[in-house]
Amino acid sequence: MTLSLTVSPDVRALAPGFTHVAIEAHGLVNGSSTEDSSALLDDAARRLAARLDGRAPHEDPHMAAWREVYTAFGSKPSRTRNSAEALAKRALSEAGLPRINVLVDLYNAISVAHLIPVGGEDLDRIQGGMHLVRATGDEDFVTVAGGEETVEHPDAGEVVWRDEKGVTCRRWNWRQGPRTRLTENTVSALFLLESLAPMPVKEVESAGAELAELLGKFSPGARIDVRPASGA
């Protein structure tokens, strides 16, 4: 069954240039990072450096647009960066990008190379459909702090991804909860590539096609469905 994805009208009003590409994949093979997945991250960092040509990540027009949207829903973008900007800063630092597992390495590489937020959710852990909404402030966001599970609540008006059980990602694409993250046991996943104007729709679609190709390469035989770019 294809997972239902919805974007609420108030989020569309906040960011009318928002577009996302969704990739649903089944029959995936995950595991610890490999030399090949690590090499993709190194190559992505090189592509990013060439793309920025000496600029800081937040000076890129696409990242500037995300900062404007974060500010519009009450978040401070210099403190809670969108996932692409945060990864880009790490990619350009001496520490470099983290190696998590193969699937996370793949979508992080695409995020950095294209400077676009990309997330991955374990389909077997999602309850019902996925919804991009402005939070009421009462929703549960289960996370881990100090090694222990704890429940937080988003700010009222904050943009969040949620399913029927609770919030899966706070501040649009800032922090994913551990409940739906991709682990080495993940076999089915949803990947979301998110963009704002002025990024051309063709570019986010190209990034999605590149990710789908990598998923097929690293998980031969996987069933991969790429949905057309959509804002709804």
Side-chain angles (χ1 to χ4, degrees):
M1 180 181 296
T2 300
L3 183 76
S4 171
L5 289 170
T6 62
V7 179
S8 68
D10 51 355
V11 171
R12 291 200 297 271
L14 179 74
F18 172 63
T19 300
H20 68 267
V21 169
I23 301 172
E24 193 167 324
H26 300 270
L28 295 169
V29 179
N30 201 12
S32 301
S33 299
T34 65
E35 288 186 6
D36 288 340
S37 69
S38 183
L40 285 173
L41 292 170
D42 291 337
D43 180 63
R46 289 189 289 268
R47 291 168 65 182
L48 172 68
R51 181 191 191 98
L52 292 174
D53 192 25
R55 294 174 298 163
H58 70 268
E59 295 176 296
D60 178 86
H62 190 216
M63 294 298 94
W66 276 106
R67 283 194 166 213
E68 289 179 8
V69 168
Y70 268 50
T71 299
F73 66 75
S75 184
K76 295 183 178 179
S78 60
R79 292 178 55 189
T80 54
R81 296 178 175 87
N82 74 80
S83 64
E85 184 182 333
L87 272 178
K89 284 181 66 67
R90 293 196 66 171
L92 298 173
S93 71
E94 289 187 8
L97 290 165
R99 274 58 173 166
I100 308 297
N101 57 54
V102 169
L103 291 178
V104 175
D105 290 352
L106 297 188
Y107 79 71
N108 278 350
I110 294 300
S111 176
V112 168
H114 291 268
L115 206 51
I116 180 172
V118 184
E121 306 281 350
D122 190 318
L123 280 170
D124 293 328
R125 296 175 178 270
I126 294 173
Q127 303 292 315
M130 292 283 291
H131 313 285
L132 187 66
V133 301
R134 299 196 72 173
T136 64
D138 297 325
E139 299 90 346
D140 288 343
F141 177 70
V142 180
T143 186
V144 175
E148 295 185 0
E149 186 175 286
T150 184
V151 178
E152 298 178 353
H153 304 284
D155 299 325
E158 179 183 325
V159 177
V160 299
W161 277 104
R162 64 159 300 158
D163 64 3
E164 303 309 319
K165 190 171 183 178
V167 173
T168 57
C169 195
R170 286 198 59 188
R171 292 177 184 153
W172 207 312
N173 48 44
W174 168 63
R175 179 190 292 171
Q176 182 187 32
R179 172 169 62 90
T180 59
R181 68 187 176 190
L182 304 185
T183 70
E184 293 185 13
N185 296 320
T186 297
V187 294
S188 296
L190 173 75
F191 300 91
L192 280 171
L193 300 87
E194 302 180 299
S195 69
L196 296 170
M199 175 172 276
V201 172
K202 287 185 177 180
E203 186 164 351
V204 65
E205 290 179 332
S206 176
E210 186 177 345
L211 177 54
E213 182 178 355
L214 288 174
L215 292 170
K217 176 181 177 181
F218 280 78
S219 294
R223 304 190 312 279
I224 301 168
D225 176 36
V226 181
R227 304 188 198 177
S230 173

